[in-house]
Amino acid sequence: MQVYLVGGAVRDHLLGHPYHEKDYVVVGATPEQLLSEGYQPVGKDFPVFLHPKTKEEYALARTERKSGMGYHGFQFFTDTTVKLEEDLIRRDLTINAMAMDDSGKVYDPYGGQKDLDHKILRHVSDAFTEDPLRVLRVARFAARYASYGFRIADETLQLMKDIAQSGELNALTPERVWKETSRALMEDHADLYFQTLKDCDALKILFPEIDALFGVPQRPEYHPEIDCGIHTLMALKQACVANYPLEVRFAVLVHDLGKALTPVDELPRHILHEERGIQPVTEISDRLKIPTYLKNLALIVCKEHLKCHQVKNLKPGTLWRLLQRLDVLRRPEKVLAFVQACECDAKGRLGLEDRPYPQAQYVLDAMEIVRNIRAQDLPDHIQGAEIGEMLIQYRIEALAKFKERHAE
């Protein structure tokens, strides 16, 4: 029985990129052997085991054959006769098709180290087209390793286009699409994930609401980049630069979906795009089955982001109602996420990336003002239903004074 470290851990070890997960392949063993040594079985489609101490995954070397649509449409074969090279050739990219033994010796039958040196994402074999999930994985790798200068090989990008045109992407489950996408959103160059999907014709299949933004013009005095799709990716890039959390990045991604629904005779203006965006944001959130808290933030950013840009001009009562809709008293973290997303929208514009966004601090200061006015601060004679009404009055009055101070 021979054990090898495989896949991402080997790749990142050679690249000097931080990694945490380790996967192993076991050659020349049977399930019974691993069970006898205390390994715990976890694989459903093929034998995968957890190490009794480290709980890291150990998979028996296997070959596979396409037997149906989608990434589940495979038959796997494991046997003591399966060689390491046979296991590695079924992997997606050459840089993921390397193995390392416990002495540190690297096994690289398909040129992974050469592609690693030349910063190329290249498929291992034509079997790449058998698994549609690989389109998303390669796009995610493009986002992850962009800072190292990696690019997708032309022939690999063509295979990704072939998959998109084959209809296989439709076999991917929403859960799997979101799992890959949520991971990609947290990469330093998440915008390149979506750009790559567009380049291989997959964006219009998996994210038609986002794809529809490309080619839609905006007023150049507000958006020098003009194109709505380009603006969306520029705004997402700002969220990555600021290292904002997932909920902010998703909200930024979908904040302008309503602009794709603007009537042609109204372009390049986008009146009411905030309201028009509610439906597509809801549809993409429901289709991908994303967590409710992500959907809720995305919806309010879509609907209210212009108010954040104009917040210093809002009347105190209008500002209070905005803060109420953001659940300011119970969820101050939602207010913070909201202003972060709005800041990315403001800075995601050609030549305006470094423009200050004082509106963010203005909203956060207003939040602290209203949160610091509590029932115990009211006169003793205020009782019952009057308490809620008086609290609102006090908060609006405090916001009025706050607005006056900023006007001075």
Side-chain angles (χ1 to χ4, degrees):
M1 183 173 78
Q2 298 169 301
V3 178
Y4 301 91
L5 181 68
V6 292
V10 178
R11 173 198 68 224
D12 288 343
H13 170 75
L14 295 174
L15 189 61
H17 186 80
Y19 64 93
H20 304 287
E21 295 183 1
K22 295 181 180 180
D23 294 316
Y24 296 86
V25 65
V26 182
V27 178
T30 65
E32 291 74 21
Q33 282 180 274
L34 294 183
L35 290 172
S36 68
E37 295 186 17
Y39 287 79
Q40 300 174 322
V42 294
K44 295 181 180 180
D45 299 322
F46 47 83
V48 178
F49 300 82
L50 296 182
H51 190 279
K53 294 182 180 179
T54 66
K55 302 304 179 184
E56 293 169 335
E57 288 192 357
Y58 287 68
L60 293 182
R62 64 188 186 270
T63 59
E64 62 186 30
R65 181 172 64 87
K66 183 74 169 176
S67 60
M69 290 285 286
Y71 69 98
H72 279 312
F74 293 90
Q75 291 180 341
F76 297 94
F77 172 74
T78 61
D79 187 85
T80 56
T81 62
V82 176
K83 299 178 181 178
L84 177 64
E85 293 79 3
E86 294 177 291
D87 180 272
L88 294 177
I89 199 172
R90 67 178 178 76
R91 299 176 185 269
D92 49 9
L93 299 174
T94 59
I95 63 171
N96 296 332
M98 296 181 286
M100 181 185 296
D101 63 21
D102 57 6
S103 70
K105 180 180 179 180
V106 175
Y107 296 80
D108 178 24
Y110 305 109
Q113 290 187 87
K114 181 179 178 181
D115 284 341
L116 205 63
D117 291 340
H118 289 87
K119 308 295 186 291
I120 296 176
L121 302 175
R122 189 193 314 275
H123 63 285
V124 178
S125 72
D126 287 344
F128 177 91
T129 59
E130 296 178 352
D131 185 355
L133 186 64
R134 287 174 172 174
V135 172
L136 281 76
R137 281 176 52 82
V138 174
R140 179 163 59 83
F141 287 134
R144 173 179 293 181
Y145 297 112
S147 58
Y148 291 94
F150 274 81
R151 66 173 183 87
I152 301 173
D154 292 341
E155 59 270 27
T156 302
L157 187 63
Q158 182 58 54
L159 291 183
M160 293 166 69
K161 289 182 179 180
D162 293 344
I163 294 174
Q165 295 168 4
S166 73
E168 284 262 354
L169 291 175
N170 295 317
L172 294 174
T173 65
E175 292 85 356
R176 194 62 188 180
V177 172
W178 174 243
K179 182 177 181 180
E180 290 295 325
T181 301
S182 62
R183 294 176 68 183
L185 279 169
M186 293 309 298
E187 301 292 355
D188 290 342
H189 298 274
D191 55 301
L192 293 181
Y193 172 77
F194 296 96
Q195 183 61 58
T196 299
L197 293 180
K198 180 166 179 58
D199 292 343
C200 71
D201 301 327
L203 191 67
K204 61 185 178 183
I205 299 171
L206 298 172
F207 305 97
E209 300 90 348
I210 299 171
D211 185 72
L213 291 170
F214 287 89
V216 178
Q218 303 173 97
R219 295 172 66 180
E221 62 266 37
Y222 297 115
H223 287 275
E225 72 287 349
I226 299 177
D227 189 282
C228 289
I230 292 175
H231 162 63
T232 292
L233 297 190
M234 291 181 69
L236 179 57
K237 186 175 182 179
Q238 289 294 315
C240 297
V241 170
N243 197 27
Y244 286 148
L246 177 61
E247 59 265 35
V248 174
R249 300 186 189 206
F250 179 71
V252 170
L253 177 68
V254 300
H255 79 281
D256 263 352
L257 293 186
K259 289 183 176 179
L261 302 177
T262 299
V264 176
D265 59 357
E266 294 182 11
L267 295 174
R269 302 177 69 194
H270 291 277
I271 302 170
L272 299 178
H273 77 275
E274 313 95 283
E275 295 292 338
R276 290 191 179 108
I278 296 301
Q279 181 177 346
V281 171
T282 300
E283 289 175 353
I284 193 173
S285 300
D286 292 347
R287 186 176 70 250
L288 295 179
K289 301 180 181 180
I290 70 166
T292 300
Y293 78 100
L294 290 176
K295 175 183 176 181
N296 289 343
L297 179 65
L299 284 170
I300 199 162
V301 169
C302 172
K303 189 174 182 179
E304 309 282 8
H305 63 274
L306 289 188
K307 287 189 177 66
C308 190
H309 299 336
Q310 302 162 358
V311 67
K312 292 187 176 183
N313 297 324
L314 296 182
K315 294 179 180 179
T318 304
L319 176 54
W320 162 243
R321 288 187 290 274
L322 171 63
L323 291 171
Q324 274 189 308
R325 292 192 293 276
L326 289 166
D327 205 3
V328 62
L329 301 179
R330 295 187 304 169
R331 296 196 51 202
E333 72 278 3
K334 186 176 181 180
V335 181
L336 175 61
F338 171 77
V339 298
Q340 289 173 339
C342 294
E343 177 187 21
C344 294
D345 173 35
K347 292 184 175 182
R349 309 177 191 216
L350 187 63
L352 303 177
E353 295 87 350
D354 298 321
R355 178 177 61 174
Y357 191 69
Q359 295 94 322
Q361 192 59 52
Y362 188 96
V363 174
L364 295 178
D365 289 345
M367 175 182 72
E368 291 303 317
I369 287 172
V370 301
R371 284 177 57 82
N372 286 331
I373 297 176
R374 297 161 294 184
Q376 54 263 44
D377 300 322
L378 300 179
D380 293 337
H381 68 273
I382 303 297
Q383 297 294 326
E386 293 181 337
I387 294 177
E389 296 176 2
M390 189 59 67
L391 279 173
I392 292 175
Q393 181 179 329
Y394 271 43
R395 286 165 177 155
I396 293 176
E397 289 175 355
L399 289 175
K401 294 178 181 178
F402 171 66
K403 180 180 175 66
E404 289 174 2
R405 290 198 301 272
H406 274 266
E408 293 175 355

